Structures are given as C-alpha cells and as structure tokens.
Amino acid sequence: MCVTCGCSDNSEVMVTNPQTGTHEHILADGTVISHSHHDHEHEHPHHPAEIHAQIHGSILQVEQNLLAKNNLLAAQNRGWLKGRKTVALNLVSSPGSGKTTLLTRTIADLKTAIPISVIEGDQATANDAQKISETGCQVIQINTGTGCHLEASMVERGLIELDPPMNSLVMIENVGNLVCPALFDLGENAKVVILSVTEGEDKPIKYPYMFHASQVMILTKIDLLPYVNFNLDRCLDYAYQVNPNLKVFQVSATTGEGLDAWYSWLKSLV
C-alpha cells in the first residue's frame, strides 16, 4: 500500500508513444516507478502505543526515502532540460478542469511560434494523448495504473522517449489530482495549476498545498461565468492568500478570451 495515496503494491506504469504505437510496461520491482511501495507485513506488537510508534516511524521513513529519491531524479531532469535549453511546465488540476482542451488549443495556436512536446499522464487510456497527437504535436503517454500522480522517474523515461528539440517547450500534463502532485518535483521550470469556474471558488483554500507549490494559476472556462455560481473576486482573494506571488491568467479555450496573455508568457520562456 502506498503511503501517499493508498494505491496497491502491484502498480504498473506504461509509457506509450501514440505516433509509433509503441509502449513500455514498467513493473514495481524495487525501483520507484509509480510510487515507492513497501510491505506492511510485520510482527504486530500487542500494546497500542507500540503499534502506533511502529506505523508512524515506518510511514515517515518511506515518505522521506520516496521524496529524496524523487528529488534527486528531478534535479537530473532539470539539468537535462537545461542542457537542451528546453523549458518544462507541470500542468496540474482536478479532473474535468479543461486541461487537455486548453493544451490542444495552445498547441494549435502556437505551433508555428514555439516547438511544443507533451508528456501526457493518466491512470489509464491514451484518449488525451490521441487528442493531442491529432494536432501534430509529439506526445508520449504515461499510464500510472493505480498511481495518483507522475513522478520524476516516469518523466525521465518520457523525456528520453520524447527527445524534445533544442529551444522548445515540454508540457507535462499530470494526472488529474489536486493533492499528491503538489509533493513531487518532476524537474519542471514551473507548476501551472488549472482551475475551472465550474469547480467552485474555494479550491485554493481547500487544496492550499497545490496552489502554494504552483507559480501560475490558469482560471479556465470563464465564458461560463454568467451561468455558474462562482465568485471570481473571492477565488482570486483565496488564491493570493495562499500564494501572494501567484501569476494568474483568466482564459476560455472555447472563445479564445484571455489566451493572448497566456501565449505571451509562454513565448517569453523559450
């Protein structure tokens, strides 16, 4: 059982290239792939305080080992990207925020301005990678199985398979989740948290670690503001309470409203 999200020990990671149809299965064999897993079987003491101490100590040690190994690989990814003068963004959100829709619109609009490649993370299916592939963009699908987020080791394999060009942009679309991905550095230049107006204005204070860990927040589906019960000013206030330095873009991938500011920022990175 994974201490981060409770996934089972037999998680399987699959790296897929939609352009070639190739994919790679990575089994948890002692190497951290989806999560660092551990065996819960141990001699059970009879005293409750002793049980608590053992469990607490074991969980803390596993979490420390997991994050330390991940951070080392993330630093290596960051160096690899820097050597190619390539910028990586880690796109994080809850499911249904419009992340993939925004990404496909961004790729289509900027394809002549910035070389963009994508690492697509999902627990299962290659549906989103297929949508991205239809734009002509180079994309690698990573399925995490029961894992709730991407890790630096997965991104390392994805980058090697993707082989992005020099002076380009890599978009890492993380698994839809506002909890676990906040803890895991992938080697990205910035985390970009995406929040839609259909989700509720209180998300920044309900999931503060994610918004604190992000450098950018994109508020999507703003064309729906007249039709949903969403307090824009309150949402922004909550977001700045959690992270006063957060850079915010308000966009609609459907109408195109606000996209020019988002695109200008992307162009400034490469």
Side-chain angles (χ1 to χ4, degrees), residues 135-172:
T135 69
C137 173
Q138 188 176 9
V139 56
I140 290 293
Q141 175 75 50
I142 298 179
N143 290 131
T144 62
T146 56
C148 63
H149 59 86
L150 293 175
E151 293 183 9
S153 59
M154 303 177 194
V155 171
E156 178 188 35
R157 290 175 177 268
L159 288 172
I160 292 172
E161 178 70 18
L162 196 61
D163 193 24
M166 295 280 291
N167 301 296
S168 67
L169 181 64
V170 175
M171 297 286 204
I172 305 169

Side-chain angles (χ1 to χ4, degrees), residues 36-74:
S36 179
H37 298 283
H38 62 285
D39 189 351
H40 280 292
E41 295 181 1
H42 53 77
E43 292 296 325
H44 290 270
H46 297 289
H47 196 283
E50 194 176 346
I51 295 174
H52 175 79
Q54 281 196 12
I55 293 174
H56 180 74
S58 297
I59 290 175
L60 180 61
Q61 186 61 50
V62 170
E63 287 179 339
Q64 288 175 340
N65 292 344
L66 171 63
L67 292 174
K69 183 170 184 177
N70 182 84
N71 290 342
L72 177 61
L73 290 173

Side-chain angles (χ1 to χ4, degrees), residues 203-264:
K203 285 296 184 291
I205 56 172
K206 289 183 72 174
Y207 301 94
Y209 295 107
M210 179 61 79
F211 287 83
H212 181 73
S214 299
Q215 291 73 44
V216 176
M217 181 180 87
I218 302 179
L219 189 62
T220 61
K221 306 183 184 180
I222 60 171
D223 54 303
L224 298 180
L225 279 172
Y227 312 105
V228 295
N229 184 18
F230 184 91
N231 190 314
L232 176 59
D233 292 336
R234 188 176 299 157
C235 177
L236 295 176
D237 182 57
Y238 287 154
Y240 289 130
Q241 283 181 37
V242 172
N243 187 346
N245 298 316
L246 202 59
K247 189 174 186 65
V248 177
F249 298 100
Q250 301 178 41
V251 308
S252 167
T254 301
T255 67
E257 183 179 357
L259 290 179
D260 285 344
W262 162 239
Y263 294 165
S264 293

